[in-house]
Amino acid sequence: MSPKDIVIISALRTPFTKALKGGLARTPPSVLLTHVLKATPDIIKPHIQEIYVGNSAAHTFTDVLGECGFPKTTQISTVSHSGLSSAIPTTLLATSIRTGAATCGIVAGVESATKEYARKHSSPRRKVLGVPVQQEKEYTDHSYAAAVKAFEDGLWADMIIPVATRTVLKPAADTGEVVGKAQEEVPGGEVTEDDWLRAEREDSMREEDIEEGYVAKPADGAAVVVFMTRDKAGEVGVRPIGQLIDSEVVEGVDEVLDMLRDAGITKDDVDVWEINESSASEVIDLMHKLHVSPTTVNPNGGALTLGDPSGAAGARLLGSVLASLRDIDGKYGVVLIP
C-alpha cells in the first residue's frame, strides 16, 4: 500500500425509478443530486476539492454546493458526452488526484430521464450485435432474478438514500376544484426503494421491444462516490471501503486487457465484472469477447432491472461492484460501460 493510493470512502445513491411514471418523475435533477451529496459524511465535506457530475443534458449544479455543506472553494463541473457522461468523471478525478491537483473529490452522476425522455428516444437505443433474441431473453431473466435476490438480501441497503418527494395538486377534471390552491405542491411521501414490479417489466417486452433488443429502460436517479488519497483518509479519520487501481477511456477488449496487465492482474484474477446493462446484447457480446465466466458478470443484476439513469451509471456501477465484492469477499472488480 502507498500513501498516494486512490481509495474509495463512500458510495451512495438514490433509488432508481421509471421515467415518466416512477416515484421520482417529478423530482428535478438538482434535487436528486442534492439528496445524495447531502448524505456525504459531514467529516468529509470540508475536504472536498473537486466534484465531477455526469449528466447527459449538461445541466449545471453550482447552486447545490452551499445547500449541501461543501466549502466555497469546491469546484463542481458537469461532464456531458454522448455515451460517456457517466464514465469520464472517474477518469478526470483520478487524473487530478494522481497529479497532485487534488487529494479528495467526488464522482457523481444524475439523470432525470423523465425530463429528457423525448430527446433520448430520438436516437437508436443500442448497437445491433447479432446476439440471438433467446439469449437476450435468458440473460435478462437471469439478471432480473439476481437483482431481486440482491434487493431481498439488502445488498444495497446501506447505499440507498431515500428521497422525499412533492406532488402537484391539479384541478379535478369533473369539478375543477382541488383541496387547497390549484397547482399547490404538497408532500408526496418518500421514495425508498427501486422500482421492482415484474409485471411492468414483462408488459414492456412487446414485439417492438424484442425487435429493438432487450434494453434498459430510462430511469431517474443520482449517485455519488467519494475518493481521496490513502494518507488523506488517515488524516481525516475515515476508513476506505475500496481502492481505485485505474480508470481510463479505452476502445475494445484488447485495451481492457492491456489496462489490466498494466495494473499487474489478469482477467482470471477478477472476481466481479460490472458491465453496464444498457442492453442484454452488449453484455453478452462483451462477455464472449472477454472469455469470462457468466457467474462473474453482473452477479447482482443491473440496469435491465434497475433502469438506466445514464449520467449516473458510472457512479452506480462503482457502488455495485463494491457491494458485490463485499458480498463474496472478493478482491478485484472491473467496471465497464460499453
Side-chain angles (χ1 to χ4, degrees):
M1 293 190 296
S2 165
K4 299 305 177 186
D5 287 340
I6 301 174
V7 296
I8 302 169
I9 303 300
S10 172
L12 302 171
R13 67 173 176 90
T14 67
F16 291 162
T17 67
K18 297 177 178 68
L20 302 178
K21 56 186 177 182
L24 300 177
R26 293 183 180 274
T27 306
S30 60
V31 175
L32 292 172
L33 183 62
T34 297
H35 270 280
V36 281
L37 286 176
K38 272 186 174 181
T40 301
D42 288 338
I43 193 174
I44 295 173
K45 290 179 182 178
H47 304 277
I48 299 295
Q49 297 162 295
E50 298 179 359
I51 302 175
Y52 292 95
V53 183
N55 177 255
S56 65
H59 292 298
T60 56
F61 300 99
T62 306
D63 293 344
V64 310
L65 290 178
E67 184 178 353
C68 295
F70 293 103
K72 292 181 179 179
T73 54
T74 301
Q75 298 180 5
I76 185 167
S77 305
T78 300
V79 178
S80 178
H81 186 290
S82 177
L84 291 175
S85 59
S86 66
I88 293 178
T90 305
T91 301
L92 290 175
L93 181 58
T95 300
S96 186
I97 293 177
R98 283 201 183 94
T99 59
T103 58
C104 184
I106 287 176
V107 167
V110 62
E111 204 69 48
S112 176
T114 294
K115 298 184 183 302
E116 299 297 319
Y117 195 85
R119 180 179 66 82
K120 284 179 177 293
H121 283 69
S122 64
S123 57
R125 292 294 306 281
R126 70 169 177 95
K127 302 173 184 176
V128 178
L129 298 170
V131 176
V133 170
Q134 184 60 30
Q135 285 188 28
E136 292 184 290
K137 181 181 185 303
E138 289 172 359
Y139 175 82
T140 301
D141 288 343
H142 173 76
S143 178
Y144 177 82
V148 169
K149 184 179 185 305
F151 169 70
E152 291 174 345
D153 291 345
L155 187 70
W156 308 304
D158 59 347
M159 294 184 174
I160 297 180
I161 304 301
V163 178
T165 62
R166 302 189 71 81
T167 300
V168 179
L169 297 178
K170 296 182 179 180
D174 51 350
T175 65
E177 297 180 354
V178 296
V179 178
K181 295 187 295 183
Q183 304 298 317
E184 179 184 6
E185 287 193 356
V186 299
E190 190 173 62
V191 179
T192 61
E193 297 176 352
D194 302 307
D195 287 335
W196 295 100
L197 300 180
R198 185 177 178 87
E200 291 193 20
R201 187 182 74 89
E202 290 182 336
D203 287 347
S204 71
M205 299 291 180
R206 301 179 297 272
E207 284 188 14
E208 57 266 35
D209 293 308
I210 293 174
E211 290 176 3
E212 182 180 309
Y214 285 81
V215 298
K217 306 306 179 187
D220 303 323
V224 301
V225 182
V226 177
F227 295 86
M228 61 178 67
T229 58
R230 191 178 296 278
D231 57 352
K232 185 67 175 181
E235 174 190 327
V236 176
V238 290
R239 177 179 295 181
I241 59 174
Q243 178 184 338
L244 180 70
I245 296 177
D246 199 1
S247 177
E248 298 180 22
V249 177
V250 299
E251 293 185 11
V253 169
D254 288 342
E255 291 193 21
V256 171
L257 297 177
D258 287 343
M259 184 177 169
L260 291 177
R261 194 176 301 112
D262 291 343
I265 61 178
T266 71
K267 67 178 183 181
D268 295 328
D269 295 324
V270 178
D271 299 297
V272 175
W273 298 81
E274 287 283 346
I275 303 176
N276 192 39
E277 292 179 342
S278 52
S279 73
S281 63
E282 286 180 311
V283 178
I284 294 168
D285 183 64
L286 261 177
M287 192 163 50
H288 290 166
K289 289 178 177 176
L290 287 165
H291 299 288
V292 295
S293 169
T295 61
T296 65
V297 177
N298 299 339
N300 295 294
L304 287 168
T305 299
L306 301 176
D308 186 19
S310 56
R316 195 274 299 175
L317 287 163
L318 286 167
S320 291
V321 77
L322 288 168
S324 296
L325 288 171
R326 179 182 60 187
D327 187 46
I328 62 172
D329 196 24
K331 186 174 183 180
Y332 294 114
V334 174
V335 169
L336 296 176
I337 302 178

